[in-house]
Amino acid sequence: MAAKSQTKKNVPNNQPFLLGRYEVGKLLGHGTFAKVYHARNVKTNESVAIKVIDKEKILKGGLIAHIKREISILRRVRHPNIVQLFEVMATKAKIYFVMEYVRGGELFNKVAKGRLKEEVARKYFQQLISSVAFCHARGVFHRDLKPENLLLDENGDLKVSDFGLSAVSDQIRQDGLFHTFCGTPAYVAPEVLARKGYDAAKVDIWSCGVILFVLMAGYLPFHDQNVMVMYKKIYKGDFRCPRWFSPELVKLLTRLLDTNPVTRITIPGVMENHWFKKGYKHVKFYIEDDRFFSLDEEEYDTGFASDQSSLSESEAEIETRRKVTSLPRPASLNAFDIISFSPGFDLSGLFEEGGEGTRVVSGAPVSKIISKLEEIAKVVSFTVRKKDCRVNLEGTREGVKGPLTIAAEIFELTPKLVVVEVKKKGGDRGEYEEFCNRELKPGLQNLMQEESEDDPSGSSHVPSDSSQLPTDPIPTDASHLPSDTE
């Protein structure tokens, strides 16, 4: 009975079900402006962590822009070694961050018991650098990396958390530097202490160096009960490696903890370091339905042609036919789907843009549409991943918002017509629009033309009856951003 009352006491607003979607449990921790609870998604039965932020407090503290920036950052940096933000909800009084629940606790608790074995410390450091490199490629800089902000999941893998002090490249001043003094004293870089502007990427690298030292030694490289004395040690780079550190590790730490940010090692330099590379495997993944999938665990298709390079022409035809006939029937659209289509939709294959979505109606068979998408992907060196009537196209070029990722899904409109719905799942919107205009749109239009030429009876043509045209715009992906007026 006592446990039950304790649970209710910890539930925000004394409501066991948050907005009808989450069963809220025990309090996990709290800070000045927020509390974090364990919760269960009543639909999926999965555990999540919910960060509850008091709107009145952040309004008084002038932190609304800060919270919005944190949301934007967490949506930008989705990586297996970063704690994931699932959604953001809001009421008049509270903002709720629904986040991945990481069961293993802080890495700090593990280090507090003593130094780690070299191979264990190296694994955590590799995962840390992988996630930091991912953030930096997207213009995000953490600025408060420390073992307390590194969590461990049930598999013992590292998860970077707490992007509250993070910055984005948009905040850089005209001199190309950041000027905000932030971070945790023992992990802060000397150039931050100098208060003359700093390169945030180099600041994160310094913090990674301090973390690596702590994992291997079990204590801080720069430490003193007097904070000012500790700052002097940091500024001078005054530290000593214990005798059990290998020469390779000492050399790497010397470059990580170089007091001159210009000559300090870079992330690419770290990833090429011999000590770092031992047992390192580059993380390759994709995200689908808010879940991470490793590319090493999935069969990756790069198109029928490349799959069948070793087959004879007749064998390739048989194999292609086998793949085509095994395709499931596309999901049918209901009345609500159809009336949600955009006005003036040209059923001859022209596109209508709705936010970051593109749609086309086609009379071509599903197999030919998928083959065409694979053909288009091959031209621009995209990787193709197929599942039923869904095709994902994934680029390799890293940008501020990551590689361009496009999802195409085929739905049945009538027994002879299908709708191909294309959405940008990741990457830059401008790059997506250029890809649609230069490759995707012409490619599917060519397919429509080919179908027309192959079927002189016109049975495969898309009808021009305007009564079948959609009437309302198609909604784009909802973004549950907090609203002060909500």
Side-chain angles (χ1 to χ4, degrees), residues 116-149:
L116 306 181
K117 293 181 178 179
E118 183 169 319
E119 59 269 22
V120 177
R122 182 171 17 235
K123 184 190 89 167
Y124 291 144
F125 184 68
Q126 288 169 340
Q127 292 178 340
L128 172 62
I129 291 296
S130 177
S131 61
V132 170
F134 187 85
C135 291
H136 288 184
R138 283 145 188 82
V140 173
F141 311 97
H142 193 285
R143 300 197 301 182
D144 194 23
L145 292 168
K146 56 185 177 180
E148 293 90 331
N149 287 338

Side-chain angles (χ1 to χ4, degrees), residues 384-455:
V384 177
R385 180 166 43 82
K386 299 176 294 183
K387 183 179 180 182
D388 298 338
C389 294
R390 207 171 357 179
V391 180
N392 278 5
L393 312 178
E394 297 171 358
T396 55
R397 190 177 68 182
E398 289 282 350
V400 172
K401 296 184 178 180
L404 181 61
T405 307
I406 298 168
E409 191 162 6
I410 304 167
F411 299 94
E412 185 180 82
L413 185 60
T414 73
K416 292 186 178 181
L417 295 178
V418 295
V419 175
V420 184
E421 184 174 36
V422 182
K423 288 184 178 179
K424 180 179 79 67
K425 306 295 284 187
D428 180 69
R429 181 171 180 174
E431 187 181 352
Y432 165 75
E433 291 175 348
E434 182 182 355
F435 173 76
C436 284
N437 292 330
R438 293 183 59 178
E439 306 293 343
L440 194 61
K441 177 178 175 179
L444 291 181
Q445 285 178 332
N446 289 341
L447 178 62
M448 294 292 294
Q449 184 64 34
E450 291 166 10
E451 285 300 303
S452 298
E453 293 172 356
D454 292 342
D455 187 5

Side-chain angles (χ1 to χ4, degrees), residues 231-251:
Y231 280 167
K232 286 180 180 179
K233 289 182 178 180
I234 292 171
Y235 201 73
K236 293 178 180 179
D238 183 12
F239 73 97
R240 290 184 179 181
C241 292
R243 63 182 182 277
W244 58 83
F245 281 19
S246 66
E248 281 185 330
L249 177 59
V250 172
K251 188 175 180 181

Side-chain angles (χ1 to χ4, degrees), residues 3 20 24 30 72-73 91 100 105 114 141 167 199 225 260 267 282 324 338 341 381 473:
V24 182
H30 61 86
S72 174
I73 286 171
T91 63
E100 177 182 4
F141 311 97
D199 179 340
Q225 291 183 341
N260 184 351
I267 289 288
H282 180 63
V324 168
I338 294 171
F341 282 0
S381 301

